[in-house]
Amino acid sequence: MTDVTEKPGTVGDGIQAPNAGWSFAGEASVNFDAHVSKSVPLYDSGHELVEELSDFFVADGSVVYDLGCSTGALTSRLAQRHRHHNVRVIGVDCEPDMVAVARQRCRPYDAVEVVLADLAQLSLERADFVVLYYTLQFVPPKFRQDVLNEIYSALNWGGALMMFEKVRAPDARFQDIATQLYTEYKLSRGYTAEDIVAKSRSLKRVLEPFSTQGNHDLLARAGFVDVMTVQKYVCFEGFLAIK
């Protein structure tokens, strides 16, 4: 049998990844912003929404976390938005190449610290606003509850978590519809069928989405009671959870 992991496939935007071997290192870190903005519906408008909602929770003295900050795009936007407040913005990512890019991007902001760390082993400071922007889906399922428990514990009363995730549909028929709609979306954005298949193969055991209900259950077990969907496009969803 041929070892299908040996030859990386092109997934679009100058990025190659092998079967079950997607990585955020190397060329993925360099081309990440262009790739994710094109392949995830409402990605950029989701950043705008996070910024706007942060106004309800961030004040002088606040600590803000961007967990899974990748290239620091959202981290820097939050720092810029609250530049006139005495706010600390802490970006966290487990990929050294991403951290290097994020630190360079956030260099103009004295209030920003970008930390290299694994979320599953991270202890958070007291905070008023925490963002998981398409991050938890890449955390191994066995650690996700621990991550959310830590976030809930660190949040001040009245603080908020904004969590965006790719989500599975509630049953097979809806999942089939969602998958086909997303395939059509990516084709409309200029990806080839080969790109789409290669990306899907590369994400095996790397990206593990839960359903909307599964995410609600995680949040509830962590202690969150007040949870609302604030953005939704087929299989992509943003949640606002307030402590």
Side-chain angles (χ1 to χ4, degrees), residues 45-220:
S45 63
H47 277 191
E48 295 173 7
L49 183 59
V50 170
E51 282 189 80
E52 292 171 2
L53 281 167
S54 71
D55 292 343
F56 294 89
F57 305 98
V58 178
D60 284 332
S62 289
V63 172
V64 175
Y65 276 100
D66 182 10
L67 302 179
C69 66
S70 62
T71 64
L74 181 55
T75 318
S76 61
R77 290 175 67 155
L78 287 167
Q80 172 66 19
R81 189 174 188 93
H82 299 287
R83 65 193 181 280
H84 299 306
H85 297 138
N86 180 27
V87 171
R88 292 174 58 217
V89 182
I90 303 172
V92 180
D93 206 277
C94 65
E95 174 50 57
D97 288 351
M98 286 292 194
V99 168
V101 174
R103 285 175 175 167
Q104 181 63 32
R105 171 175 261 150
C106 295
R107 183 171 291 179
Y109 303 101
D110 293 336
V112 175
E113 178 184 4
V114 180
V115 178
L116 176 65
D118 186 339
L119 293 188
Q121 300 166 351
L122 185 66
S123 295
L124 303 180
E125 300 179 34
R126 301 296 294 181
D128 289 316
F129 194 65
V130 178
V131 181
L132 283 170
Y133 201 76
Y134 294 108
T135 297
L136 198 65
Q137 61 198 29
F138 291 105
V139 174
K142 63 184 176 181
F143 297 126
R144 291 185 195 180
Q145 191 65 63
D146 293 337
V147 171
L148 288 178
N149 290 349
E150 176 64 20
I151 291 171
Y152 185 83
S153 178
L155 277 172
N156 293 315
W157 192 258
L161 164 66
M162 288 208 68
M163 184 174 81
F164 285 67
E165 288 282 287
K166 186 177 183 181
V167 295
R168 286 197 168 106
D171 66 29
R173 183 180 185 186
F174 284 122
Q175 183 61 49
D176 184 54
I177 291 170
T179 299
Q180 293 190 53
L181 283 173
Y182 186 39
T183 297
E184 294 291 345
Y185 173 85
K186 295 185 82 170
L187 288 170
S188 74
R189 303 288 282 173
Y191 291 110
T192 67
E194 290 77 14
D195 292 337
I196 295 169
V197 171
K199 180 66 178 291
S200 178
R201 293 177 70 243
S202 76
L203 289 171
K204 288 188 289 187
R205 73 169 167 73
V206 178
L207 170 61
E208 182 71 26
F210 285 3
S211 66
T212 296
Q213 186 60 54
N215 282 296
H216 273 282
D217 291 344
L218 284 172
L219 292 166

Side-chain angles (χ1 to χ4, degrees), residues 7-69:
K7 296 181 180 180
T10 299
V11 303
D13 306 307
I15 301 173
Q16 292 190 326
N19 177 58
W22 171 264
S23 169
F24 290 100
E27 59 193 13
S29 66
V30 175
N31 300 315
F32 178 78
D33 289 335
H35 180 69
V36 74
S37 296
K38 194 167 77 171
S39 60
V40 175
L42 304 180
Y43 189 86
D44 294 327
S45 63
H47 277 191
E48 295 173 7
L49 183 59
V50 170
E51 282 189 80
E52 292 171 2
L53 281 167
S54 71
D55 292 343
F56 294 89
F57 305 98
V58 178
D60 284 332
S62 289
V63 172
V64 175
Y65 276 100
D66 182 10
L67 302 179
C69 66

Side-chain angles (χ1 to χ4, degrees), residues 1-8 18-20 201 205:
M1 180 179 292
T2 302
D3 183 355
V4 294
T5 65
E6 290 181 357
K7 296 181 180 180
N19 177 58
R201 293 177 70 243
R205 73 169 167 73

